[in-house]
Amino acid sequence: MNIKADFPSLVEEIDYGTPESRAQKQVTLSVDGRSITVPEGTSIMRAAMEGGVEIPKLCATDMLDSFGSCRVCLVEIEGRGGTPASCTTPVGEGMVVRTQSDRLDAIRRGVMELYVSDHPTGWNEKAGTGASEFDTVAKSVGLTENRYGVEGRNHVKQEDGVAPGHGSLAVDYIARDESNPYFTYDPAQCIVCSRCVRACEEVQGTFALTIEGRGFESRMVAGMHEDFIASECVSCGACVQACPTDALREKTVLEKGMPERSAVTTCAYCGVGCSFKAEVKDDEVIRMMPYKDGKANHGHSCVKGRFAYGYATHKDRILSPMIREKISDPWREVSWEEAIAHTAKEFRRIQYQYGRTSIGGITSSRCTNEETYLVQKLVRQGFRNNNVDTCARVCHSPTGYGLGQTYGTSAGTQDFDSVEFTDVAVIIGANPVSAHPVFASRLKKRLRQGAKLIVLDPRRTEMVKSAHIEADYHLPLKPGTNVAVLTSLAHVIVTEGLFDEAFIRERCDWTEFQDWASFVALPENSPEIVGKLSGVDPELIRGAARLYAKGGNGAIYYGLGVTEHSQGSTTVMAIANLAMATGNIGRPGVGVNPLRGQNNVQGSCDMGSFPHELPGYRHISGEAVRDIYESLWGVKLDDEPGLRIPNMLDAAVDGSFKGIYIQGEDILQSDPDTKHVAGGLAAMECVVVHDLFLNETANYAHVFLPGSTFLEKDGTFTNAERRINMVRKVLEPKARYADWEATQELARAIGLDWNYTHPSQIMDEIAQTTPSFANVSFELLDRVGSVQWPCNEKAPLGTPIMHIDGFVRGKGKFIRTEYVATDERTGPRFPLLLTTGRILSQYNVGAQTRRTDNVMWHSEDRLEIHPHDAENRGLRDGDWVRLTSRSGETTLRALITDRVSPGVVYTTFHHPDTQANVITTDFSDWATNCPEYKVTAVQVGASNGPSDWQREYDEQARNSRRIASLQAAE
Amino acid sequence: MSHDEDHITSTSEKLVRMANQIAAFFHSKSREEGVAGVAEHINKFWEPRMRRQFFELLDSGEGFDELVVAASARIKRPITPAEADLKLGLKPFPADAAASQK
């Protein structure tokens, strides 16, 4: 019998067996003589556990609804006959429950004996992982014998060697499934408790698993009796987490044993910001276990967060600083001291030679708030200018501008829990199933409970139709027509009188509303006119508008399909208008929710990464705000806005911008119009890349500073719901310094007197200078887990929902949103529209996920093209095709699908050899310069192989990655 | 890399396009709001060298939207790089001093 070893430093969580009841009414009962008070609707099992009495269980776990199949959790209730299951029996007032008696002990032992007869543990006694609840329960019920033998037809006999995979004569035996790179499935160990099947349905919402067969034939199978990898399984791992035996088990645990210590930390992938226990053994991460107390994910995760951490120890990681004179030279490994001193000297030389504003920095949306704060401080206090920007420039800068203008603050209005109260969800230009999977699971759960769904997307995404989910309205609009369609929804709401007059009169400026209403009511905004230019059936627009306005709590969730357009900021305003007009702001279940791409893109914006504002979204021209920092930092601050990333590159090409410190961002791959980016970088004299890997930007770098992963440092990330979550160090930095320490070294080298010894001191400085963070400290976060800003005197524990009693700016502002067609138009040379996006298993430019087994799901970027357009061009599925725009051309393989409409093609940008951004243009959002990634006029044709650009780029990249002391890396 | 060399957009062309894009948004507002809006936006978000270039382009009669031209009176003319250094209490960097001679 394998018993869970006692590791005192492993964070343990209590499993209450069944979900929490939300009822208000309290009920008091007695369990084994203890008086326990719980909300009505709580199960006896949960009530007992809350009172400190653990009832043995196998099929129950508090992530799932109770099921009542294992018959181990039986109890006796005074005055009732029989032995009901405690997981399915709700508590009653005055109920007297016994969880232990001779009768119950005998029943439980009998049940466990039967289970054991069909459940030979592992290969042998020693091979068990210690992770199995089954073994613990068998021990706790005092099982000592098995009179039935273990010769069940679905596993081989112990004396035959019990070596699954080595052949067996047992007719129902199924070999162990090793196809998933991260976990194994051994059907012989399945006890048919259905926890995996229910986790896949209830928690994840994929419905990939089922129970097949009867008696000895019964067990869980994936898909249509397929290998996991071939099934529709998305490898979220919820089933592995749910499995009470070792039937489903992480390969790392099987290979290396159970972890010994853990810390609660925050995922470094998307903006959902899931909490995990990073579980470690011998300085190696064994597994990432979703943390049930995590307010964003409540114990769930996706394939990236749970499994794709292997990049942290990938052989490509660079662990020594490196410098070189010219980008055509090989890299030379140097000490940190030399690299830092060289960088400081170069930056000073460049400022002397080209002027104060000739250098700048880019903060990372992947690093912590504290690290981001330090980079902008370095630029402002040390470089004495405001040339600092962050990759939010290329994703959510229009959100900042649009919501700032209309509501007065740049942030999503809700927490993720709010979705549980939503009646109508509107998804615009986002595909959460791929890009924000854990939120998507929660949304899908709500949809299965009956909430309605409206999707605005050029593609028929997984959100539009998947297992037990179907959008009530899908508006497949032509890329670039967001503003027209959203204004048309407003047209219907205004002209049909569906707006919430009481809300508008109370919370908004009525005169501004009237002006806006007269604008949206114009005939050119009617669905009938807009339908023609957007390609959407006018009846769909009308239906969607009526549903959103009158269907109960309406919540809008949007992504980069909204922001990455010439009219990105206008679209955000149009969304804000819709929510105000229908009164869908300021309570649970409603709101405007930008789905943030990167783990800390919200935080990097909050921390003053933009060239025009100090932390907390305060414009640099404000004297009172500058005073706060000037007195603390001891220098005068420049009161003029600095350069944004695209402006920096323009200035570099023009010769007035010569040096840059880039922390954790790969602008060459992620920014549009690759050739222009390359031209800008090549024109600079000192490009410093601070990263885990020699990324694409590093091809143009003169200094490389090795970065640290989120496992190697302390700090905080802020997710899409403004939630500040702790990041905790579980491993020492592999390259000596955590990123904040490296920035501090650089600051000292240019003469700044920085003496931070722990990131908590940086957060203290942020709290001291930023009103919306006034109450935030590591001590508070350690105590309460997480908080959502604003967190200050008025809201000491943070603000889950914003604008409750009024908008941050005072009155909500309606703004006219006139549709202006983008200059990027199709024509005879470029007749198709390209739009771009993500898939589930890969993350952003793929630097991390490409260095994990996630490549098993997505090893290349493909071009999705409609069968009609493919046939016109003589293309077959899988053919190499040439994709050309006015910016450049590349080649990739075609994927023929009607998910895209005729006239639209789609690709992802996870792989550098595809270089989708060679194609994208230099057009950008009018207000923020956020690039127009989502609309590019292209032509597609048959191809013989890589384009000239791909060949030249590949050669240049290989050359520039040479490291002198090691000879050619990669 | 052959067919598109004639399409590289210069910084000045981009500035004109950006200014006109801003004007396009503000055209649907009242005249007063539009003029103030364009000027405020450029003052808030355009770095001094961009505004400096903007005025050079304006003087040379580049193809700006008339709303941009109307707003230009309210757009802040940046001080010279040397003046900006001095304002921060710095001795002007040699390059900034030289640039301010023009």
Side-chain angles (χ1 to χ4, degrees), chain A residues 672-686:
Chain A
D673 197 4
T674 307
K675 286 183 205 170
H676 179 65
V677 179
L681 289 168
M684 294 189 209
E685 295 182 5
C686 185

Side-chain angles (χ1 to χ4, degrees), chain A residues 101-180:
Chain A
S101 71
D102 290 346
R103 176 166 70 145
L104 290 171
D105 288 351
I107 295 173
R108 287 184 190 139
R109 267 201 303 278
V111 169
M112 283 310 287
E113 193 176 350
L114 282 165
Y115 270 123
V116 166
S117 72
D118 189 26
H119 187 256
T121 50
W123 281 254
N124 59 46
E125 298 262 330
K126 283 183 193 140
T129 59
S132 161
E133 288 171 38
F134 183 86
D135 297 349
T136 314
V137 172
K139 181 164 189 290
S140 79
V141 304
L143 186 69
T144 52
E145 59 178 344
N146 172 13
R147 291 164 290 174
Y148 310 112
V150 292
E151 288 85 32
R153 280 167 31 207
N154 61 3
H155 47 264
V156 291
K157 290 182 202 162
Q158 216 143 25
E159 54 271 33
D160 291 344
V162 195
H166 290 284
S168 165
L169 296 176
V171 64
D172 293 316
Y173 174 71
I174 299 178
R176 204 175 170 83
D177 178 358
E178 303 267 5
S179 64
N180 183 290

Side-chain angles (χ1 to χ4, degrees), chain A residues 303-323:
Chain A
V303 61
K304 296 188 284 276
R306 189 193 299 261
F307 293 124
Y309 51 80
Y311 69 87
T313 50
H314 195 274
K315 64 176 171 51
D316 285 354
R317 259 190 83 177
I318 304 290
L319 301 177
S320 168
M322 303 189 296
I323 62 177

Side-chain angles (χ1 to χ4, degrees), chain A residues 353 355-357 384 401 619 639-641 650 654 656 675-676 816 886-887 922-924 926-927 952, chain B residues 1 4 9 11 14 17 21 25 28-29 41 44-45 47 49 51 84-85 87-88 93-96:
Chain A
Q353 206 174 331
R356 176 175 52 86
T357 57
R384 305 298 299 275
Y401 184 80
H619 200 271
D639 60 359
E640 286 277 15
D650 290 339
D654 292 349
S656 68
K675 286 183 205 170
H676 179 65
R816 287 177 173 227
R886 64 184 172 82
S887 288
D922 56 7
F923 285 159
S924 65
W926 67 269
E952 282 165 33
Chain B
M1 301 172 79
D4 58 328
T9 321
T11 307
K14 277 185 202 166
R17 186 169 74 211
Q21 271 184 293
F25 173 79
S28 63
K29 318 287 177 288
H41 194 89
K44 266 177 121 169
F45 299 104
E47 197 252 7
R49 89 190 76 178
R51 299 209 306 275
D85 292 349
K87 202 172 152 193
L88 296 178
F93 289 85
D96 291 336

Side-chain angles (χ1 to χ4, degrees), chain A residues 62-317:
Chain A
D62 56 12
M63 293 277 292
L64 305 173
D65 291 341
S66 58
F67 196 53
S69 84
C70 77
R71 315 316 290 174
V72 172
C73 71
L74 309 182
V75 292
E76 290 172 351
I77 302 172
E78 225 170 77
R80 291 198 196 176
T83 50
S86 65
C87 63
T88 48
T89 310
V91 295
E93 185 61 45
M95 193 181 250
V96 178
V97 176
R98 268 188 308 279
T99 75
Q100 287 188 320
S101 71
D102 290 346
R103 176 166 70 145
L104 290 171
D105 288 351
I107 295 173
R108 287 184 190 139
R109 267 201 303 278
V111 169
M112 283 310 287
E113 193 176 350
L114 282 165
Y115 270 123
V116 166
S117 72
D118 189 26
H119 187 256
T121 50
W123 281 254
N124 59 46
E125 298 262 330
K126 283 183 193 140
T129 59
S132 161
E133 288 171 38
F134 183 86
D135 297 349
T136 314
V137 172
K139 181 164 189 290
S140 79
V141 304
L143 186 69
T144 52
E145 59 178 344
N146 172 13
R147 291 164 290 174
Y148 310 112
V150 292
E151 288 85 32
R153 280 167 31 207
N154 61 3
H155 47 264
V156 291
K157 290 182 202 162
Q158 216 143 25
E159 54 271 33
D160 291 344
V162 195
H166 290 284
S168 165
L169 296 176
V171 64
D172 293 316
Y173 174 71
I174 299 178
R176 204 175 170 83
D177 178 358
E178 303 267 5
S179 64
N180 183 290
Y182 300 117
F183 61 84
T184 67
Y185 172 47
D186 181 2
Q189 299 200 54
C190 175
I191 59 166
V192 202
C193 66
S194 297
R195 267 163 70 163
C196 53
V197 176
R198 288 180 286 141
C200 194
E201 290 181 11
E202 290 174 33
V203 180
Q204 166 58 26
T206 296
F207 294 78
L209 309 181
T210 190
I211 300 290
E212 69 167 15
R214 285 178 291 181
F216 277 121
E217 297 163 35
S218 67
R219 65 213 126 194
M220 179 272 283
V221 291
M224 306 286 283
H225 201 113
E226 293 157 288
D227 281 347
F228 263 86
I229 200 78
S231 75
E232 61 269 51
C233 163
V234 294
S235 194
C236 71
C239 56
V240 182
Q241 183 179 337
C243 182
T245 73
D246 284 334
L248 287 162
R249 185 55 56 214
E250 299 90 351
K251 286 183 177 173
T252 46
V253 171
L254 293 174
E255 284 160 16
K256 292 161 185 162
M258 282 293 280
E260 291 166 347
R261 59 191 172 86
S262 63
V264 175
T265 191
T266 305
C267 181
Y269 279 115
C270 79
V272 176
C274 296
S275 297
F276 281 89
K277 294 178 287 181
E279 298 191 335
V280 177
K281 181 185 187 184
D282 301 335
D283 287 332
E284 192 180 350
V285 173
I286 297 294
R287 59 182 185 180
M288 298 290 287
M289 286 294 276
Y291 187 53
K292 282 194 294 188
D293 260 357
K295 301 288 193 299
N297 57 319
H298 298 289
H300 188 40
S301 80
C302 76
V303 61
K304 296 188 284 276
R306 189 193 299 261
F307 293 124
Y309 51 80
Y311 69 87
T313 50
H314 195 274
K315 64 176 171 51
D316 285 354
R317 259 190 83 177

Side-chain angles (χ1 to χ4, degrees), chain A residues 667-701:
Chain A
I667 57 170
L668 186 64
Q669 198 185 344
S670 63
D671 286 30
D673 197 4
T674 307
K675 286 183 205 170
H676 179 65
V677 179
L681 289 168
M684 294 189 209
E685 295 182 5
C686 185
V687 173
V688 180
V689 167
H690 187 181
D691 210 295
L692 300 174
F693 305 104
L694 277 176
N695 60 20
E696 306 307 308
T697 306
N699 296 344
Y700 290 86

Side-chain angles (χ1 to χ4, degrees), chain A residues 476-625:
Chain A
L477 72 188
K478 209 171 92 184
T481 60
N482 285 338
V483 169
V485 174
L486 289 168
T487 307
S488 194
L489 291 170
H491 174 94
V492 177
I493 288 167
V494 166
T495 56
E496 297 188 6
L498 308 174
F499 53 88
D500 183 344
E501 182 170 342
F503 179 93
I504 299 164
R505 283 190 182 276
E506 187 194 328
R507 307 285 187 88
C508 308
D509 186 313
W510 182 251
T511 324
E512 277 169 355
F513 168 74
Q514 284 176 309
D515 173 69
W516 173 79
S518 69
F519 161 74
V520 299
L522 294 172
E524 66 250 39
N525 294 320
S526 69
E528 288 65 31
I529 304 286
V530 169
K532 287 202 185 83
L533 65 94
S534 64
V536 181
D537 178 350
E539 280 313 304
L540 288 179
I541 298 178
R542 289 196 181 273
R546 290 168 192 149
L547 178 59
Y548 173 67
K550 290 291 171 195
N553 285 338
I556 298 175
Y557 293 88
Y558 71 88
L560 305 184
V562 159
T563 54
E564 290 174 349
H565 288 279
S566 287
Q567 279 201 291
S569 292
T570 316
T571 313
V572 173
M573 293 177 201
I575 288 172
N577 289 337
L578 280 178
M580 285 190 290
T582 53
N584 278 314
I585 281 286
R587 63 178 188 276
V590 299
V592 173
N593 306 276
L595 294 167
R596 304 273 179 167
Q598 312 231 31
N599 53 319
N600 199 36
V601 69
Q602 177 74 53
S604 71
C605 296
D606 301 342
M607 290 301 104
S609 295
F610 287 138
H612 64 277
E613 61 196 10
L614 287 158
Y617 305 98
R618 292 166 296 169
H619 200 271
I620 190 78
S621 62
E623 220 164 294
V625 181

